[in-house]
Amino acid sequence: MTVTVPALPAQRAAAAGLIDGRPLEPGQSRRVSLEVLAAGVATRGPRLTPGAVAAHACNRRLAAKARRRALQTAASDRIRMQLESSATSLPHHVRELIHPETAYTRLRTLGWVTRLLNTPDPTALLAQALQVAAQLPPPGRRIDRRLLVPGNPHALDAGALPALVLALTGSSGTPTRSGWARLGVDCDDLLGGLIITGITPRGWHIPPGATYTLPPRELAHIDWEPPKTAGQWAFVTENPSVLAAASSQALDQNSHVTPRVICTAGTPSQLECEAIGALSDAGWNTAVRADFDQAGLAHVRALLASAPAATTWRMSAADYLAAVLEGTDTLHLQDSDAPWDEHLVPAMRKHSVPVYEEDLLPVLLTDITAGTPGSSSLAVPARRRPDRAVQKESRRP
């Protein structure tokens, strides 16, 4: 390192004897070996080092970063040992869900170890999550989520605790309601569901053109009213803006034909997908779609899995290319993300820009009004994306 002799006499006196060779004048510099400097400093005190002297001079703690890393490593080790020791007392079916031998690695990959360490009491939060997991019912049985934490029926409504339980049991990659359902846990069945116009359950009387929501309680045993004419189409969309526009257009035009639209308002749960699949049993033709992005393609795959008789609605490569906008977004897609059209994923990868349902709104409304899903020949021409990205409508998770 390079050492510069200080100008103040008191500072020069304090450093006397630390630099070998001919004495230097104030302001002069000399390259010195850290090993030699450390030996010279040690003559002033056996435990002194250049780093300790520098830390003292700067009024800073020595090796603070190393100390923090050591503390973090020790805390991470406590989390791992807590997982391993607690797993032995868990019921067998819960151990099968958690996989204690890989639980710590999975939590670390998901970022949960860091998240735990940033909580006021990581040990207490993990212990509570393991206690909740221990209450999970064996296969074939179910339990109300409000009973999993005695004395606190709302403990698992939101926050770190329910998220950690789902992460521990390998259910964090699915919608929250679906994740709990996989564990045999029933959430409330009054919130969420499908937003609908033009289609009703059997025996229900809804005013023509009215929009209503069917909560999970009603979807669990849905029996749809069959179409008035055989083979009529029901249109399934991701965004409430499409249903709202279709309803408003019918009202503005004083149309006697009610739009037949079902909106998932974002990610559909398994129950919602199955309810949409039941439309075919009632005699409906079903057309499904979502945004042209990674999440939207996943939504369509989930819908088609539960409704194999359904068809995609303007979800082809031609539809995407007809409405693709210029931009700088990035899409991360797999070859299998759009099994209904082998050309769609390559096209989306090439442009790497999402296309939202709002970008296709004119042609979607045309299809809904006509009562039949159209082809890409009616798609809107490509246009330039505005400089400031338009924020998507907020949706229910």
Side-chain angles (χ1 to χ4, degrees):
M1 64 180 295
T2 300
V3 176
T4 301
V5 175
L8 297 178
Q11 293 179 341
R12 291 199 303 274
L18 295 181
I19 303 176
D20 291 337
R22 181 178 56 85
L24 299 176
E25 296 297 325
Q28 290 184 324
S29 300
R30 177 175 294 169
R31 296 279 292 177
V32 298
S33 165
L34 273 178
E35 183 178 1
V36 173
L37 181 60
V41 170
T43 61
R44 311 294 178 91
R47 297 183 179 181
L48 286 180
T49 65
V53 172
H56 175 73
C58 297
N59 195 26
R60 296 178 60 181
R61 298 181 64 184
L62 181 64
K65 290 183 178 179
R67 184 178 292 104
R68 284 197 298 269
R69 286 195 297 268
L71 292 174
Q72 187 175 31
T73 299
S76 299
D77 289 341
R78 286 195 295 271
I79 290 175
R80 183 176 62 250
M81 290 186 292
Q82 184 178 0
L83 274 171
E84 294 174 352
S85 61
S86 299
T88 58
S89 60
L90 293 173
H92 176 73
H93 68 279
V94 177
R95 291 200 302 273
E96 291 292 310
L97 290 170
I98 293 180
H99 299 293
E101 64 279 2
T102 60
Y104 177 81
T105 301
R106 185 172 66 254
L107 289 182
R108 186 179 59 186
T109 301
L110 293 173
W112 260 105
V113 172
T114 300
R115 187 174 175 182
L116 271 170
L117 294 179
N118 289 330
T119 61
D121 193 340
T123 301
L125 178 58
L126 180 56
Q128 190 176 15
L130 289 168
Q131 289 172 1
V132 172
Q135 304 302 315
L136 294 174
R141 297 184 183 179
R142 306 194 67 81
I143 190 173
D144 191 309
R145 187 175 63 176
R146 292 164 291 189
L147 302 178
L148 289 174
V149 181
N152 191 350
H154 300 292
L156 301 177
D157 288 354
L161 178 59
L164 178 55
V165 174
L166 292 176
L168 277 170
T169 54
S171 301
S172 59
T174 59
T176 300
R177 190 178 294 271
S178 299
W180 286 116
R182 170 181 174 268
L183 300 175
V185 177
D186 295 324
C187 303
D188 64 87
D189 55 3
L190 298 178
L191 300 178
L194 299 173
I195 309 172
I196 305 173
T197 186
I199 304 169
T200 61
R202 190 184 297 272
W204 283 39
H205 298 284
I206 302 293
T211 299
Y212 67 100
T213 298
L214 273 183
R217 173 175 293 186
E218 305 300 338
L219 294 175
H221 306 286
I222 191 68
D223 182 15
W224 297 106
E225 191 75 39
K228 295 180 179 179
T229 303
Q232 281 187 312
W233 286 89
F235 297 91
V236 179
T237 181
E238 175 185 352
N239 297 286
S241 56
V242 178
L243 187 152
S247 297
S248 298
Q249 177 176 271
L251 183 63
D252 293 341
Q253 297 176 353
N254 294 319
S255 175
H256 297 293
V257 179
T258 300
R260 301 181 296 275
V261 184
I262 296 178
C263 175
T264 65
T267 303
S269 68
Q270 182 61 35
L271 180 61
E272 293 166 359
C273 291
E274 292 172 355
I276 290 170
L279 289 166
S280 300
D281 299 333
W284 290 93
N285 289 332
T286 309
V288 301
R289 67 156 294 107
D291 291 327
F292 283 105
D293 59 10
Q294 189 172 17
L297 299 186
H299 299 170
V300 174
R301 292 198 305 273
L303 290 168
L304 293 177
S306 295
T311 185
T312 55
W313 169 31
R314 291 197 181 274
M315 286 297 294
S316 69
D319 297 306
Y320 172 80
L321 293 172
V324 67
L325 312 174
E326 296 181 10
T328 58
D329 296 313
T330 302
L331 295 176
H332 302 283
L333 302 173
Q334 305 295 324
D335 293 336
S336 58
D337 281 349
W340 58 87
D341 184 348
E342 63 181 6
H343 304 294
L344 177 55
V345 168
M348 294 177 68
R349 280 176 172 166
K350 179 179 179 181
H351 293 273
S352 200
V353 176
V355 169
Y356 303 118
E357 290 190 308
E358 292 82 358
D359 298 323
L360 291 165
L361 192 56
V363 293
L364 299 183
L365 294 180
T366 298
D367 294 347
I368 293 171
T369 301
T372 304
S375 65
S376 60
S377 61
L378 297 176
V380 295
R383 59 193 185 280
R384 182 177 297 274
R385 181 184 295 274
D387 291 338
R388 175 175 288 184
V390 178
Q391 296 296 324
K392 293 181 67 177
E393 176 181 359
S394 62
R395 305 169 192 166
R396 297 198 312 269

